[in-house]
Amino acid sequence: MELLGFILDVIGKIMIAFTALMVHHRFRKEHKVDEFVFKAMRREQVIGIIGIIFIIIGFILQLPVKL
């Protein structure tokens, strides 16, 4: 269980970092905010939320071993 918790934690952190990088890249590339950018940002927001959920689940799975 600890290994699964660690894996989910790492995947969650990578997903959040990817989301932040993609938002910055999109703004740099587009130079404007239109419907396409809003849809992409919404999709990236969902990826970020899933990443946060993975981090929380990973924490919960690692917690019994740490106590």
Side-chain angles (χ1 to χ4, degrees):
M1 280 305 226
E2 182 183 10
L3 179 60
L4 178 62
F6 175 73
I7 290 170
L8 289 176
D9 182 58
V10 170
I11 290 172
K13 289 175 183 174
I14 291 171
M15 290 174 77
I16 292 173
F18 173 77
T19 301
L21 291 173
M22 289 306 298
V23 168
H24 288 95
H25 173 73
R26 181 137 358 258
F27 273 116
R28 188 169 44 93
K29 181 180 174 187
E30 296 290 328
H31 297 289
K32 62 183 179 215
V33 179
D34 56 7
E35 190 62 33
F36 174 76
V37 174
F38 278 125
K39 284 182 182 180
M41 288 174 64
R42 177 66 182 149
R43 181 177 50 244
E44 291 158 0
Q45 184 180 25
V46 170
I47 293 171
I49 291 169
I50 293 170
I52 291 170
I53 291 169
F54 279 0
I55 291 172
I56 292 169
I57 292 171
F59 169 76
I60 291 169
L61 291 174
Q62 291 182 54
L63 194 59
V65 177
K66 306 289 184 188
L67 294 178

